[in-house]
Structures are given as C-alpha cells and as structure tokens.
Amino acid sequence: MTEEHPRFVLLQARDPGDPMARHEQLCFANALSVPAEKIVLHDLLQGPPAHSVAEHYDAILVGGSGDYSVLGGHDFLPAFFDFLANVVIQRSVPTFASCFGFQALVLAGGGEVVHDEERAEVGTYTLTLTEAGAQDPLFSALPNPFQAQLGHKDHAARLPSGMTNLASSESAPFQALRVDGLPIVATQFHPELTREANTERYLRYWEAYGNGDRANDPVLARMADSPDSTALLSRWVQMTLDL
C-alpha cells in the first residue's frame, strides 16, 4: 500500500442533513486511527456504489441507518442487497459492516431478519463469544464475555449458509458474523462507538428510544466503556490489509 493510511468508503442510509452522518464518519475515523478525510461517505439513498469500488478504496465500511430499516421496503434496498451479494461477497471485497450493515448482509446472503421491539438492545451490553468466535483470528483477541455498544430494534433470526456466528447476547443470538473464508466481517453491535459516542447517538434519537425522563433513564444508566470491542476495527484493518 503506497499511502500512509488506507482509504475507506462508508456506506450510509441517512436523510440529508442528518448530523449523525458526520458523527458516524468521525467515530469510524477515531476507532481506525485514520484522518476523517480517508473515509469517504456514500449515500445509499442515491443507490449503491459502482461495481468498481474496490479499485478506488482499500475497504468498505457499512454503518447505521438513522431512520431506515432493512425491513422497511425502501426503494434503495434491493439494489443495496444486490451490491452486497454480487460485489462485496462474490468479489471478496474487504468489508466491515455494523448494525444496519450487519442486518443487510444477512438478508443479502439469504438469511432472516425480524423486527422485535421487546428484544431491542440500546446502550451497553455484555456479549459472549461463540465457540467459532473464540477460534476466529480476529475475535479470539476479545475477552469472553465482552462489553459492546448497541442500538437496534431489528435483529437476525437466521444466518445464511456460508456465514458463521461469532457472538451472541441474551436477547439476540446473532451478534457478529464472518463470511466464511472471506475478509468480510459484520457486527450487530457498534465497534465504532465509545460510551460517549453511543450516548450522543442515543440522545439524537431520543424520541424513538428514550423513556422521557433523562434523569432516570435506564439506557443512560447502563452506558459503560467498551474498549475491547472498539479495538476490533483497527485490528481487522491490520489483519485484512496487511498493514
């Protein structure tokens, strides 16, 4: 690699003017220890990237989605799923997807995602590595169990063949996956978020997730540090891009 830092494209499904687009870019930059300008934003609402994306970037990142769900029937989703299946997976493009990206990758591969508000996870949670996760080159460096930042109401109910589950929680059995044999990893949790960043994100979507009483909000009370899961991103880049 000739550049000092690798170049990433961050796929986002966020409305124009959503401040969390820039917030997410900065969070990934901090977790990856790269300048923010090395992470180029791509608006999925305008369609997926060109199939030649791997020629212009070292790796793809897929972030959250603000007001969009993979189950929402939105017009941009079919082309996005096709891009994940026919470009990312078929061409083995190095990719790290979190939350919305995790769910999209599951659907693109033929798995199942469901909406279940009673099993929503918002805040900091304890996750456990599966047997495969404990043996995975990337995830095996995590303590078991480990803390992670979450914010979702949809979750995977079944992974497709060719994807291996690496972690779970009490509410969601599928919290991380690897596409078998490929440099493609996804997490239901947000390794790009710190405790502080997840608190900012939560307060931004207060109307959708909050209980109306910030002084006694259980999510805010549960927020905790998660340095081990945040370290996943930089370690993935080092292992995947041979830095």
Side-chain angles (χ1 to χ4, degrees):
M1 186 175 303
T2 58
E3 295 190 52
E4 181 181 356
H5 297 286
R7 297 188 72 241
F8 303 89
V9 58
L10 172 57
L11 312 186
Q12 297 179 308
R14 297 186 181 278
D15 286 326
D18 185 346
M20 290 297 104
R22 173 64 172 170
H23 181 267
E24 186 171 59
Q25 180 189 36
L26 293 174
C27 288
F28 271 106
N30 289 335
L32 291 165
S33 298
V34 301
E37 60 267 22
K38 293 296 182 181
I39 301 177
V40 175
L41 303 184
H42 178 89
D43 182 7
L44 287 170
L45 303 185
Q46 304 303 314
H51 286 198
S52 60
V53 62
E55 300 173 12
H56 305 290
Y57 301 97
D58 298 296
I60 294 174
L61 305 170
V62 188
S65 59
D67 298 319
Y68 294 91
S69 163
V70 296
L71 301 175
H74 307 292
D75 291 343
F76 72 91
L77 287 174
F80 175 42
F81 296 155
D82 287 345
F83 173 80
L84 292 175
N86 299 323
V87 178
V88 170
I89 294 177
Q90 285 198 11
R91 301 186 184 182
S92 303
V93 180
T95 300
F96 197 116
S98 71
C99 199
F100 171 84
F102 171 88
Q103 297 158 5
L105 198 61
V106 169
L107 290 181
E112 180 182 2
V113 173
V114 298
H115 180 78
D116 188 347
E117 296 197 17
E118 292 186 358
R119 294 169 65 185
E121 295 174 304
V122 183
T124 311
Y125 286 80
T126 299
L127 275 57
T128 303
L129 294 174
T130 64
E131 182 177 347
Q135 298 175 357
D136 183 82
L138 175 63
F139 282 77
S140 59
L142 288 169
N144 197 16
F146 65 96
Q147 298 292 104
Q149 308 297 333
L150 287 96
H152 69 99
K153 295 180 180 179
D154 300 337
H155 67 267
R158 177 179 56 81
L159 294 190
S161 61
M163 297 185 188
T164 297
N165 184 36
L166 304 176
S168 64
S169 68
E170 290 186 3
S171 297
F174 305 110
Q175 286 283 358
L177 65 83
R178 178 182 292 278
V179 180
D180 295 345
L182 302 182
I184 302 170
V185 173
T187 60
Q188 177 62 81
F189 59 93
H190 289 272
E192 76 279 8
L193 294 182
T194 61
R195 173 184 184 172
E196 293 77 16
N198 200 19
T199 299
E200 291 177 33
R201 182 78 56 86
Y202 176 62
L203 293 177
R204 168 65 177 81
Y205 297 110
W206 176 258
E207 292 185 2
Y209 289 99
N211 70 351
D213 181 6
R214 295 192 185 187
N216 298 291
D217 185 274
V219 173
L220 292 175
R222 192 171 55 242
M223 292 288 188
D225 293 330
S226 56
D228 295 308
S229 59
T230 299
L232 276 174
L233 278 165
S234 60
R235 190 162 58 246
W236 174 78
V237 168
Q238 291 171 356
M239 296 176 65
T240 303
L241 303 183
D242 296 323
L243 297 182

